[in-house]
């Protein structure tokens, strides 16, 4: 396996929605080719943190960010930073599967097309490769022209993952990607995440602590906009250093 | 407890049937009107001769000529022209309102559009008569009563329909589609053109169909600016008579075969509206995707 290094360095990240502070002085490093899980009670800022990493918070007019998110030694919040390039490099999978109301093929080809790939053969290759990477190819290869809306929830979510993979990102952000799925579909996505980690860096929000324990290498525990604890997953779950972490993972609050 | 449940069930059953009944009334009304028009219009058309009637260029009841080709052409030309204006201005305006416009612009535009929708058609006609017709006459020469005047008036009249419904359709595009696209690194413009517009296309299509339907059926506004001469227009500056004008103008005093010919004109108008609806729907839907995609629509599962 590739050598792990810090791919994202977050320094003193603060995020405000108007007057309310959603993230407070976050300073953590995310390692390459690993799965980092974000856990914590709802409303504690996990999604906000995730969305800071590819600047999806830019869509919220009242959101204001301070601090740095260093990606490849450049601060993504710097003036003039290329957001298109950022979002290509840092892809996002949402809580509810959100395929476009197009065909399966067009969903996967969407990203490459937007970024200028026109060649039909090249697109075919990308679509096939991405669907295979997302472990969906075998289920849909004979109906690529069918509407993506006809797929099951789990298939839709893997399609959304394939859609992200098609633009060849380095980092994939996932916001509770299995919360809308049944247990079997959830397992499939978890297996997929395990596979993807070989090539990609994954940051995943989950409200399911077993899931965090199963799939992640490191885990960050969020509480009211702060990271209380950020450790190797096994350490955090077996040996929480902070009382609040312990209370949370043993189900005493949250 | 048990009784309450039963009552509830009966109530919900009743409401359901009531809705069904309402829907039936609408369909029934359409059927009755359709049948009535056909029954009262078709015999006249056959008496005159279908070819004579549809392709005859001369309309002169006193001499026994009942050809409405000039009016068919006028109606189609006026409608197509109005649609070009209505769609060309209306859809971009809807896009602007739904996606781009700053709040203050929306605060001015939205009421303006609503006001436009509330103006009675005779007022449009009057405006056309006292402002537009003299303007055309002064600018391009001629009498001013013309196809061009009709096109402009109708184009403006159908704007509110197209703007309101298209905007609604664009706003109804789920935010998750937009986020998905932006998250892949697409620009706002790309997201709009490649995701929002295609997702809103059935609503936009509906708005255009309704607008076109209104344009082709409009009578009052058109009468005042058309000049009403039954001739095949050589240019958009020529005076014309539309199908609707023909009926409205002569119905009050027509009798016998003349009257039947006017009913038959109604049949043709009805048929044209139907054909326009179907072709427009087919064309606009084909453009954006396969049948399957259309069936899937934008409905979330
Ligand atoms: N778009 C927004 N506008 C205003 N406040 C927001 C917005 N999104 C999130 N918040 C607030 O920020 C806080 C953190 O939310 P979020 O990041 O969604 O938490 P989590 O994902 O952990 O449930 C919450 O108090 C929430 O109300
Ligand atoms: Mg969240």
């Amino acid at each position: 396996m590739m050598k792990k290094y810090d791919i994202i360095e977050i320094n003193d990240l603060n995020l405000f929605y108007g007057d309310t502070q959603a993230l407070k002085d976050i300073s953590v490093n995310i390692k390459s080719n690993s799965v980092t899980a974000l856990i914590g009670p709802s409303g504690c800022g996990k999604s906000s943190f995730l969305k800071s990493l590819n600047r999806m918070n830019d869509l919220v007019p009242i959101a204001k960010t301070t601090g740095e998110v260093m990606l490849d030694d450049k601060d993504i919040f710097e003036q003039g930073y290329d957001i298109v390039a950022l979002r290509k490099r840092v892809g996002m999978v949402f809580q509810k599967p959100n395929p476009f109301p197009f065909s399966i093929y067009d969903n996967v080809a969407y990203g490459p097309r937007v970024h200028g790939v026109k060649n039909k053969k090249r697109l075919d290759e990308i679509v096939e490769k991405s669907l295979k990477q997302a472990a969906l190819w075998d289920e849909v290869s004979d109906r690529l022209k069918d509407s993506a809306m006809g797929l099951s929830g789990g298939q839709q979510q893997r399609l959304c993952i394939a859609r992200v993979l098609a633009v060849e990102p380095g980092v994939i952000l996932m916001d509770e990607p299995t919360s809308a799925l049944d247990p079997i579909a959830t397992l499939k996505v978890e297996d997929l995440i395990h596979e993807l980690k070989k090539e990609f860096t994954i940051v995943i929000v989950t409200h399911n602590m077993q899931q965090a324990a199963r799939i992640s290498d490191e885990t960050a525990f969020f509480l009211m906009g702060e990271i209380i604890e950020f450790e190797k997953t096994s350490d955090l779950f077996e040996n929480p250093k902070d009382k609040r972490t312990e209370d949370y993972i043993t189900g005493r609050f949250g | 407890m048990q009784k309450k449940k039963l009552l509830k069930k009966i109530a919900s059953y009743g409401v359901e049937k009531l809705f069904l009944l309402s829907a039936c009334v609408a369909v029934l009304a359409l059927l009755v009107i359709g049948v009535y028009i056909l029954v009262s219009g078709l015999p006249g058309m056959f008496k005159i001769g279908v070819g004579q009637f549809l392709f005859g260029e001369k309309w002169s009841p006193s001499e026994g000529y009942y050809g409405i080709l000039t009016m068919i052409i006028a109606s189609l030309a006026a409608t197509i022209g109005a649609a070009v204006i209505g769609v060309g201005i209306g859809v971009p305006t809807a896009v602007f309102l739904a996606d781009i416009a700053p709040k203050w612009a929306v605060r001015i535009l939205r009421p303006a559009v609503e006001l436009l929708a509330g103006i009675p058609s005779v007022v449009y006609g009057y405006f056309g008569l006292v402002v537009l017709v003299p303007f055309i006459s002064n600018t391009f020469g001629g009498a001013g009563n013309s196809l061009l005047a009709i096109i402009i008036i109708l184009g403006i009249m159908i704007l509110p329909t197209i703007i309101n419904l298209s905007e609604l359709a664009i706003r109804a595009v789920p935010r998750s589609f937009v986020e998905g696209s932006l998250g892949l690194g697409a620009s706002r413009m790309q997201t709009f053109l490649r995701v929002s517009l295609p997702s809103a296309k059935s609503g936009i299509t509906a708005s255009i169909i309704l607008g076109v339907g209104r344009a082709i059926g409009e009578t009052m506004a058109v009468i005042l600016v058309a000049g009403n001469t039954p001739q095949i227009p050589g240019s958009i500056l020529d005076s014309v008579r539309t199908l609707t004008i023909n009926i409205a103008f002569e119905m009050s005093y027509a009798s016998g075969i003349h009257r039947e010919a006017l009913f038959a004109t109604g049949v043709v108008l009805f048929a044209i509206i139907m054909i326009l609806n179907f072709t427009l729907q087919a064309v606009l839907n084909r453009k954006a995707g396969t049948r399957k995609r259309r069936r899937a629509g934008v409905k979330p599962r």
Side-chain angles (χ1 to χ4, degrees):
Chain A
M1 186 182 275
M2 235 188 275
K3 189 173 161 310
K4 291 188 182 176
Y5 57 96
D6 290 341
I7 187 169
I8 308 178
E9 267 185 56
I10 296 129
N11 298 319
D12 295 321
L13 181 67
N14 284 281
L15 174 70
F16 301 84
Y17 293 116
D19 292 333
T20 45
Q21 185 161 15
L23 295 174
K24 286 180 202 144
D25 299 325
I26 307 271
S27 297
V28 291
N29 293 350
I30 308 253
K31 289 200 169 48
S32 75
N33 298 90
S34 67
V35 177
T36 304
L38 313 178
I39 61 170
S42 68
C44 65
K46 306 178 298 289
S47 298
S48 301
F49 176 72
L50 205 65
K51 283 194 249 166
S52 299
L53 301 184
N54 69 345
R55 289 187 57 178
M56 284 299 273
N57 275 329
D58 287 12
L59 303 184
V60 183
I62 56 169
K64 214 180 131 256
T65 314
T66 64
E68 300 181 321
V69 172
M70 306 294 292
L71 177 71
D72 307 322
D73 299 320
K74 263 217 206 110
D75 181 9
I76 65 169
F77 290 111
E78 216 164 69
Q79 275 272 314
Y81 192 93
D82 183 354
I83 297 194
V84 170
L86 172 67
R87 298 211 176 124
K88 262 182 83 172
R89 180 133 163 68
V90 184
M92 185 147 204
V93 177
F94 298 81
Q95 184 166 355
K96 220 179 122 237
N98 61 345
F100 303 130
F102 312 152
S103 71
I104 294 170
Y105 183 99
D106 289 342
N107 262 277
V108 183
Y110 181 83
R113 278 179 177 147
V114 158
H115 297 299
V117 180
K118 289 205 181 75
N119 184 301
K120 175 86 176 71
K121 225 180 113 231
R122 180 87 191 95
L123 282 172
D124 287 348
E125 286 164 13
I126 295 175
V127 169
E128 180 171 344
K129 176 166 174 246
S130 308
L131 285 170
K132 277 181 175 158
Q133 271 182 314
L136 191 59
W137 176 254
D138 293 338
E139 289 160 62
V140 301
S141 60
D142 57 342
R143 50 179 171 136
L144 294 176
K145 293 285 164 209
D146 283 11
S147 169
M149 305 315 249
L151 297 174
S152 72
Q155 288 173 326
Q156 287 188 4
Q157 195 60 302
R158 277 178 284 146
L159 179 68
C160 292
I161 293 174
R163 194 171 67 179
V164 168
L165 296 176
V167 299
E168 304 186 327
V171 181
I172 304 173
L173 310 173
M174 301 184 175
D175 195 348
E176 305 192 25
T178 63
S179 65
L181 306 185
D182 63 58
I184 294 176
T186 297
L187 274 185
K188 277 196 182 151
V189 172
E190 286 185 11
D191 287 345
L192 173 59
I193 290 171
H194 199 76
E195 270 310 300
L196 291 177
K197 160 174 121 164
K198 292 174 191 155
E199 282 183 66
F200 304 91
T201 302
I202 295 168
V203 185
I204 179 172
V205 173
T206 173
H207 59 240
N208 177 336
M209 273 172 290
Q210 284 82 30
Q211 182 169 65
R214 274 197 301 269
I215 62 173
S216 70
D217 302 296
E218 294 194 291
T219 298
F221 171 57
F222 277 73
L223 195 60
M224 294 168 66
E226 288 180 87
I227 291 189
I228 304 297
E229 201 163 339
F230 186 51
E231 292 290 339
K232 254 182 81 177
T233 299
S234 52
D235 292 348
L236 185 128
F237 279 101
E238 282 155 29
N239 251 322
K241 291 202 183 74
D242 196 290
K243 177 80 169 55
R244 291 167 291 180
T245 314
E246 187 181 346
D247 286 349
Y248 182 72
I249 59 180
T250 52
R252 247 169 282 166
F253 79 77
Chain B
M1 185 68 199
Q2 200 69 341
K3 209 171 146 196
K4 223 174 171 181
K5 233 182 191 167
L6 190 73
L7 268 176
K8 227 177 180 175
K9 215 168 167 185
I10 292 173
S12 98
Y13 180 82
V15 168
E16 200 186 306
K17 290 295 172 241
L18 202 70
F19 285 174
L20 184 67
L21 194 74
S22 314
C24 288
V25 168
V27 175
L28 204 72
L30 181 72
L31 262 168
V32 168
I33 293 174
V35 168
Y36 177 76
I37 291 178
L38 284 179
V39 166
S40 50
L42 280 181
M45 203 189 294
F46 286 121
K47 261 182 245 168
I48 297 160
V50 176
Q52 267 289 326
F53 183 66
L54 292 180
F55 301 113
E57 285 182 35
K58 189 162 177 181
W59 175 271
S60 177
S62 54
E63 299 170 75
Y65 287 106
Y66 298 101
I68 61 165
L69 182 67
T70 59
M71 304 165 205
I72 294 178
I73 291 174
S75 274
L76 285 179
T79 304
I80 291 168
V84 168
I85 292 183
V87 172
I89 297 177
V91 173
T93 306
V95 169
F96 180 73
L97 273 173
D99 210 56
I100 309 166
K103 279 217 178 69
W104 62 265
V106 174
R107 266 206 296 273
I108 297 172
L109 260 172
R110 176 94 35 72
V113 171
E114 264 150 33
L115 217 63
L116 215 54
I119 297 176
S121 57
V122 67
V123 175
Y124 278 100
Y126 181 71
F127 167 79
L129 187 64
V130 299
V131 178
L132 197 58
V133 167
F135 175 76
I136 292 173
S137 174
N138 291 337
T139 316
F140 302 107
N145 291 305
S146 59
L147 185 57
L148 179 62
I150 302 181
I151 288 175
I152 294 174
I153 288 291
L154 287 180
I156 298 173
M157 272 184 82
I158 65 175
L159 271 181
T161 308
I162 293 181
I163 293 174
N164 283 334
L165 289 176
S166 296
E167 188 199 345
L168 220 63
I170 295 166
R171 279 191 189 276
V173 173
R175 215 182 141 62
S176 64
F177 292 174
V178 174
E179 284 178 346
S181 171
L182 292 174
L184 289 165
S187 67
R188 270 182 182 272
M189 202 57 191
Q190 285 170 325
T191 300
F192 185 76
L193 291 177
R194 290 164 181 250
V195 175
S196 302
L197 267 191
S199 305
K201 73 170 188 296
S202 60
I204 294 175
T205 310
S207 82
I208 295 172
I209 289 174
L210 277 175
V212 165
R214 177 157 190 212
I216 199 165
E218 179 53 41
T219 312
M220 204 55 229
V222 172
I223 275 188
L224 294 176
V225 300
N228 305 329
T229 322
Q231 60 175 355
I232 294 178
S235 85
I236 54 171
L237 294 176
D238 284 347
S239 161
V240 293
R241 174 187 290 202
T242 63
L243 292 165
T244 50
I245 292 177
N246 197 38
I247 302 172
F249 240 37
E250 303 187 358
M251 192 58 99
S252 56
Y253 61 84
S255 63
I257 182 77
H258 184 190
R259 194 175 174 83
E260 284 181 64
L262 295 181
F263 278 122
T265 309
V267 173
V268 173
L269 190 61
F270 195 68
I272 289 180
I273 291 177
M274 288 298 187
I275 293 169
L276 264 176
N277 270 7
F278 284 126
T279 40
L280 220 62
Q281 207 144 15
V283 168
L284 289 177
N285 276 331
R286 175 115 29 82
K287 228 198 241 156
T290 60
R291 269 187 82 86
K292 260 193 187 117
R293 267 193 242 163
R294 192 185 336 153
R295 213 180 316 131
V298 293
K299 264 182 250 130
R301 287 169 47 80

